[in-house]
Amino acid sequence: RETGTYYPKFARFEMRAKVPHAQGLWPAFWLRHRNGAGVAEVDIMEYFHSQVPSKSTQTLHLDGVSNISKKTTTFENPANTPGFHIWAVEITQDTAGVRFSFFVDGVKVHTFVDTKADWADAAPANGTWDIALNQAIGGRWVGSPDGTLGLLELLNRCSISGTAPGGCTK
């Protein structure tokens, strides 16, 4: 966003990466509408290991509505050393609106057609999205890397077993 680089409304966006299986880490690959994530955000890959080990999440937030479409997909056994995987979304025109097709390692895992798509007219077709790739560390969604293993502060629960806050275990 800081560079002023924006990408087309209709395209395929893809990332090949390894993601860590660890308490307190939150890797993500997402698109943000040029007028802000409150207009439209496409979460192609978010990994909440502390909450759902081995599964990445694909989520759409469109026209100010959060979680309008969401899918969680298994991609790897968290006991293994991380391997490379490919996450992608194809955004295409559809007779009913705008189609979002999500892929993990070349397999289509989720499709959603946005029939409202007010966000689609809020930016030029050749410059709708910016791309974000980030690794958040710590926080109430994923716990602290140095905190009690498995404690999810935001939810006040343990991610796998035990009793929050001090009795969380792997």
Side-chain angles (χ1 to χ4, degrees):
R1 170 157 292 188
E2 291 75 21
T3 66
T5 304
Y6 296 97
Y7 298 91
K9 180 186 321 178
F10 302 113
R12 179 181 174 96
F13 301 90
E14 181 176 290
M15 171 187 77
R16 180 177 182 264
K18 290 182 183 184
V19 296
H21 304 297
Q23 163 85 11
L25 299 180
W26 176 11
F29 169 46
W30 50 295
L31 306 177
R32 182 173 38 193
H33 192 277
R34 77 179 298 138
N35 296 331
V39 175
E41 178 180 319
V42 181
D43 296 325
I44 303 163
M45 185 283 299
E46 289 184 288
Y47 184 37
F48 303 98
H49 172 77
S50 298
Q51 293 181 32
V52 283
S54 79
K55 299 176 187 221
S56 62
T57 303
Q58 303 81 37
T59 310
L60 292 170
H61 312 280
L62 305 171
D63 295 320
V65 179
S66 293
N67 301 324
I68 199 165
S69 178
K70 188 171 193 164
K71 173 75 172 166
T72 301
T73 307
T74 300
F75 70 95
E76 176 173 88
N77 181 339
N80 295 341
T81 301
F84 279 102
H85 297 278
I86 298 171
W87 289 271
V89 66
E90 290 178 356
I91 305 171
T92 56
Q93 291 180 309
D94 186 273
T95 55
V98 177
R99 177 179 298 273
F100 296 85
S101 298
F102 294 89
F103 300 82
V104 176
D105 293 330
V107 176
K108 188 184 292 186
V109 295
H110 184 54
T111 299
F112 178 81
V113 177
D114 182 16
T115 57
K116 185 178 174 188
D118 290 340
W119 62 269
D121 296 327
N126 65 348
T128 301
W129 306 107
D130 70 359
I131 298 173
L133 176 63
N134 63 282
Q135 171 67 70
I137 299 174
R140 294 173 48 186
W141 280 84
V142 295
S144 169
D146 297 325
T148 302
L149 183 63
L151 176 61
L152 304 175
E153 293 177 26
L154 181 68
L155 305 173
N156 192 33
R157 71 173 176 85
C158 297
S159 61
I160 300 171
S161 64
T163 304
C168 297
T169 59
K170 195 174 188 181

